Structure formats: structure tokens, C-alpha cells
Amino acid sequence: MKLNIALLAGDGIGPEVIDQAVKVSNKIAEKFGHDITWTPALTGAAAIDDCGEPYPDSTHAVCEAADAVLFGAIGHPRFDNDPSAKVRPEQGLLKMRKKLGLFANVRPTFTFPSLIEKSPLKRERIEGTDLIILRELTGGVYFGERGRKDNNNTAFDTMTYTRPEIERIARKGFEIAMTRSKTLCCVDKANVLESSRLWRETVQAMEKDYPEVTVSYEFVDAVAMRLVQWPNSYDVMITANLFGDILTDEASVISGSMGLMPSASVGEKTKLYEPIHGSYPQAAGKDIANPLATVLSAAMMFEDFGLTEEAKTIRDVVNKSLAEGYVTEDLAEGGTSYKTSQIGDWLVANI
Ligand code: IPM
Ligand code: MN
């Protein structure tokens, strides 16, 4: 297969982890006879420095023309502590999601047999955990009306959802549920929020179209609790943008490190694959960040191209590296650890 992939390394550790995913993908291409062209483009703080825009039109053109986007991370401390900054790197990510119509963010959480003891949760609680949080990505409070009033003394952000916005993410949820345990959990705050009541009403009306799927409705605060009590009791969940942002960070630690979980964002145009972690600026340039979430994001990309064997080969070699203790410092607990680039080289050598 001929693949043209837009490569958006972004900020912080982005370029380092992206490098490893590229090495691994190129090795997979060589092994299975594919031809990958990588087209790099700027985003985040790096793009602001270059042209004052975190997601320039030139980058959007590269993404639109590509078969997929592989994305590193975005964010820079220089902006975090400056609430008055006019442009922020994160705006680039939001603009990209909106312009590519990436309304569904697929964030899996699973455990690795060799890492069960690294989880802050007890073995019996997490064994067998394999869930997907489907986060709505282009609506809700992230994109609602916002502003200041009362001489700058009041601020507001609005959580708005339309019925079609809810229907399209819910449809994805039902479809994924059909390929798994045929259960779907709709996570909301319908006891308080009007937008959540519209979510519930909309999803309830769709149940008849998927008679095989059993739907449950749970409040987000209760889910936040049960997710760390009995994560293996969940399978497919759908939720609004902000709830999904928070729950997926929470869920990511179940596996033992935030540096392990991949994600895919899908919708109207080019799909995007990225690790769920941030730009980890303290580690930038040190060659210590865990590249596995990005490598596994590349595996999700191959899977979506129908290249199942290729995806499985990546997941298998990642599992092998973990089982053999070939890990970065976040997983080494003071024991022997390896550099980001060494992990990439090891994966390539073992494919
Ligand atoms: C994520 C990140 C982003 C989000 C930030 C960087 C804008 O936290 O992808 O989860 O909040 O969506
Ligand atoms: Mn987040």
C-alpha cells in the first residue's frame, strides 16, 4: 500500500517520540512491502515561533492531502503561566480537530500483562481491563460561547450540544459496541445539565436502531469513581468533550504509565493518531520520554488502513519489550532504564 502520512511532531517531547514511531512504521513498511511518504508540518509553539499561528493554513493543507496524520504533542510552559497570551499552542490542536472534522476521539485503556504490578491499582481490580472511551471532540464547552463581562470580573464558558452532534458520536459508539461486548455506557451529568439531558434523550431514541446493544446511563462523577474501583466492568463509553478529557487521563494510569496509551481521532476528513499524553516539557530533548503511546498510535493507524497483521506486529513487539524489561525510566522504578531512541531501535531490531 502507498501511504502519505502528515507528520506533526509538535512541542516538547513530541519530536522524540514521533521519531520512534516513524522508525517502527518504516520497518513495518519494509517488512510488509508498503511505501510510506512522510510529510512534516509545523504545529503548536513551534508553529507560533515560525509564523505566529499554531495551526497554519499550510499545515492544514498538508493534513487534508494526507491519508492520515501522526501527531506528537502540543503545549509549552512559556504559555501556560501567561493567561493573557493571545495565541496558545493548544488552540492549534483545537483548530485542527475542528477543521478536519474530527468529532470522535477513540481512547482505549488496556493493561499489559507484564505491567500489572506497575499500576497504582490492585491486580484483581484491573486484570482484564479493556475499555474504550469515545470522547466527543469538536463540540461542548471547548467550543461553546465564552467571554468576560462585568468589567472583566465575570467569565463564562458554555456547554452547547446539538442533536446531530450527539447522534454522530453516539452512532460511532453503537457501532464500536457492536464489534465488542454489545454494551454501551453513556456518561453524562443529566441530573444537573440540560445539554446532558439532550444527550440522554438522543441516545435513548437511538436504542431501537441497535436492538442488540444494551445501553446504560451513568453520571460522570460516579463513573470517575467506578473507573478506578472496577475498570474491568466497563467496555465502550461515550461522553462529552470535557468529561472525556478528564476521564481518559484518569483511565490512562490504570495501565501503569501515561506514556502507554494511544488514541485515534476520526470524523469527516483525514484521521489523526496521537498519544494521549501531553508535551512533557521537563523531559524535552532528554531522550527519556516513553515512546510507546506514539508507537501504539501508529499501530492504530495501520489497523484503520485494514493492515491488521502490521498493527499486530507492532503491538506484539511492544509487549515483548515490556515483558523483557526494556523500558524507559517511567516504568523502571529505579532499575535499569533505556533511552527513548534506544527503545525505538530495539523495537525496529525485533520486528
Ligand atoms: C488532550 C489534551 C488537549 C485537550 C489539550 C492539549 C487542548 O489535554 O488531547 O486531551 O484538552 O483536548
Ligand atoms: Mn487531555
Side-chain angles (χ1 to χ4, degrees):
M1 192 181 265
K2 253 179 117 57
L3 296 171
N4 171 20
I5 312 294
L7 199 58
L8 274 56
D11 304 321
I13 57 165
E16 296 158 58
V17 293
I18 278 283
D19 276 353
Q20 314 318 313
V22 169
K23 282 197 259 185
V24 167
S25 301
N26 283 340
K27 181 68 191 178
I28 289 287
E30 182 194 316
K31 184 179 166 91
F32 289 90
H34 304 299
D35 177 6
I36 308 182
T37 308
W38 302 97
T39 312
L42 287 178
T43 184
I48 295 176
D49 291 341
D50 183 68
C51 67
E53 250 286 331
Y55 183 63
D57 289 347
S58 52
T59 296
H60 182 59
V62 169
C63 293
E64 259 197 312
D67 298 312
V69 181
L70 192 62
F71 188 88
I74 220 163
H76 195 286
R78 161 156 68 90
F79 300 89
D80 291 347
N81 301 323
D82 177 10
S84 66
K86 290 254 169 335
V87 271
R88 320 181 67 80
E90 289 80 1
Q91 288 164 347
L93 186 58
L94 302 182
K95 193 168 164 197
M96 175 170 67
R97 288 172 179 167
K98 198 73 172 177
K99 287 185 84 167
L100 292 172
L102 302 170
F103 63 81
N105 186 210
V106 185
R107 293 192 167 180
T109 294
F110 47 88
T111 52
F112 299 87
S114 52
L115 294 184
I116 295 277
E117 306 304 334
K118 307 271 190 226
S119 173
L121 305 183
K122 294 195 185 81
R123 170 182 285 276
E124 65 270 24
R125 300 272 171 158
I126 58 167
E127 244 166 6
T129 296
D130 177 14
L131 59 88
I132 290 181
I133 300 178
L134 197 58
R135 166 188 175 194
E136 200 289 324
L137 205 56
T138 53
V141 72
Y142 272 61
F143 293 93
E145 203 185 314
R146 71 179 48 151
R148 295 280 179 109
K149 54 186 185 184
D150 301 336
N151 291 326
N152 214 23
N153 291 314
T154 302
F156 61 95
D157 297 274
T158 336
M159 186 169 331
T160 306
Y161 271 110
T162 66
R163 207 178 287 273
E165 277 176 329
I166 301 164
E167 277 167 354
R168 64 184 183 180
I169 181 86
R171 209 171 298 123
K172 273 252 163 325
F174 277 109
E175 281 162 10
I176 296 176
M178 283 299 288
T179 68
R180 296 171 55 105
S181 71
K182 301 194 170 137
T183 59
L184 179 66
C185 180
C186 176
V187 182
D188 61 30
K189 188 69 188 173
N191 50 345
V192 177
L193 303 177
E194 198 55 42
S195 57
S196 285
R197 287 193 275 274
L198 184 62
W199 269 70
R200 235 174 234 223
E201 190 183 308
T202 307
V203 177
Q204 275 166 354
M206 292 171 77
E207 283 186 38
K208 63 173 184 338
D209 302 334
Y210 301 88
E212 286 171 67
V213 178
T214 308
V215 187
S216 61
Y217 298 85
E218 291 184 30
F219 298 137
V220 62
D221 48 351
V223 171
M225 182 176 64
R226 195 150 78 87
L227 197 53
V228 286
Q229 276 184 316
W230 297 110
N232 54 15
S233 67
Y234 286 111
D235 188 19
V236 184
M237 306 153 97
I238 50 170
T239 195
N241 205 340
L242 180 62
F243 300 155
D245 180 46
I246 298 166
L247 292 179
T248 53
D249 265 31
E250 186 192 6
S252 75
V253 299
I254 294 169
S255 66
S257 166
M258 226 206 158
L260 292 168
M261 290 296 125
S263 83
S265 299
V266 305
E268 291 157 14
K269 296 184 179 174
T270 321
K271 294 178 179 158
L272 179 135
Y273 301 85
E274 61 170 319
I276 87 148
H277 60 68
S279 61
Y280 191 14
Q282 305 86 328
K286 294 191 182 153
D287 202 18
I288 57 170
N290 190 337
L292 296 183
T294 314
V295 170
L296 291 169
S297 299
M300 285 183 93
M301 175 179 85
F302 283 110
E303 187 87 58
D304 282 353
F305 284 124
L307 305 174
T308 310
E309 199 49 43
E310 289 78 344
K312 184 174 178 302
T313 304
I314 296 179
R315 286 194 292 263
D316 286 350
V317 75
V318 164
N319 279 328
K320 187 169 177 225
S321 72
L322 293 171
E324 294 186 13
Y326 214 87
V327 294
T328 39
E329 97 187 359
D330 52 312
L331 292 171
E333 283 179 344
T336 311
S337 69
Y338 297 85
K339 297 284 182 192
T340 310
S341 54
Q342 288 179 306
I343 300 288
D345 293 340
W346 192 94
L347 297 173
V348 168
N350 281 273
I351 286 173

